[in-house]
Amino acid sequence: MRWLFLIFLFSVLTMACIQEENAKTNFSGNGTNTSDENSVQTIDELAREIKNAPEDFLYPYDGLSYDTIAVNVESGRVIVKATSEEVPGEDVYMFVYENGTLVLKSYLLEAIPPSVREQAIAIALSNRTVYENADGHITVRRVLPHTAAKFYIPKELFSVTWHGDRIVSALVDLEEGTVVKTYLSG
């Protein structure tokens, strides 16, 4: 049972957490998808809305904007890949279409300024368990507040993971300069 929990925790942290929260699909600020409350937008129309108004759906790192946004509709899902010329990395979002609304189901946010990435790694390494087991390829991903609330409190966190012979991961609160959770594979 413990092993299953650890696998679950690791997958949640490294995939930047699956969630059930609705994506921001209200364009008029009143919670509806269109100006006619009786109409329902198709998945293709909603995909076009993402492309035309990404600020209503996507969460780039604070102060950044996306320069390139690719939106693809695949089997009832909308996959969005976004990059910024200001930072390395790519952010990926997966929305599903439910009852005329797009729901953000998962995301992988790696478009992070190098200085923030380095700070998250340094904080992760301040944890003894992480420091003693950190080996291999490193990934640093943002965790949005509504997902972080499941593990800590509702604020932006960073998942720092080393993929080596053993996998070690730290959930980092940059504002506090602390590791709030760790995971170490068996």
Side-chain angles (χ1 to χ4, degrees):
M1 186 65 149
R2 180 176 173 212
W3 184 246
L4 288 175
F5 173 75
L6 291 175
I7 290 171
F8 170 75
L9 179 62
F10 172 71
S11 66
V12 169
L13 290 175
T14 60
M15 292 305 294
C17 309
I18 294 174
Q19 67 230 270
E20 301 295 327
E21 185 165 310
N22 286 343
K24 296 186 263 180
T25 55
N26 60 10
F27 308 111
S28 60
N30 62 8
T32 59
N33 291 334
T34 63
S35 58
D36 179 359
E37 290 186 19
N38 295 325
S39 69
V40 175
Q41 289 182 300
T42 67
I43 193 169
D44 291 321
E45 290 170 331
L46 288 168
R48 277 192 296 279
E49 289 287 350
I50 292 172
K51 186 74 171 171
N52 294 331
E55 65 278 359
D56 290 336
F57 294 90
L58 308 179
Y59 305 90
Y61 185 76
D62 190 34
L64 299 178
S65 61
Y66 294 125
D67 298 302
T68 305
I69 300 173
V71 181
N72 295 304
V73 176
E74 305 170 3
S75 305
R77 299 178 303 164
V78 178
I79 308 296
V80 180
K81 295 181 179 182
T83 60
S84 172
E85 293 175 2
E86 298 176 60
V87 296
E90 178 179 62
D91 289 347
V92 180
Y93 303 84
M94 184 189 70
F95 298 88
V96 296
Y97 185 65
E98 294 178 356
N99 302 320
T101 303
L102 284 181
V103 177
L104 180 62
K105 283 295 191 178
S106 65
Y107 59 88
L108 184 67
L109 307 178
E110 294 182 324
I112 302 168
S115 62
V116 172
R117 176 182 157 83
E118 291 167 13
Q119 183 181 5
I121 292 169
I123 292 169
L125 288 171
S126 71
N127 178 280
R128 183 176 182 159
T129 301
V130 173
Y131 178 78
E132 290 174 351
N133 294 282
D135 182 41
H137 173 72
I138 303 171
T139 58
V140 179
R141 297 173 176 146
R142 283 189 307 127
V143 179
L144 296 175
H146 53 272
T147 304
K150 297 175 186 179
F151 304 100
Y152 183 55
I153 59 174
K155 68 188 297 188
E156 182 177 74
L157 299 175
F158 292 83
S159 173
V160 182
T161 305
W162 282 263
H163 307 268
D165 292 335
R166 298 178 87 182
I167 296 171
V168 63
S169 187
L171 194 56
V172 173
D173 180 336
L174 283 185
E175 289 177 7
E176 299 297 323
T178 61
V179 172
V180 298
K181 278 212 184 283
T182 60
Y183 165 80
L184 178 63
S185 68

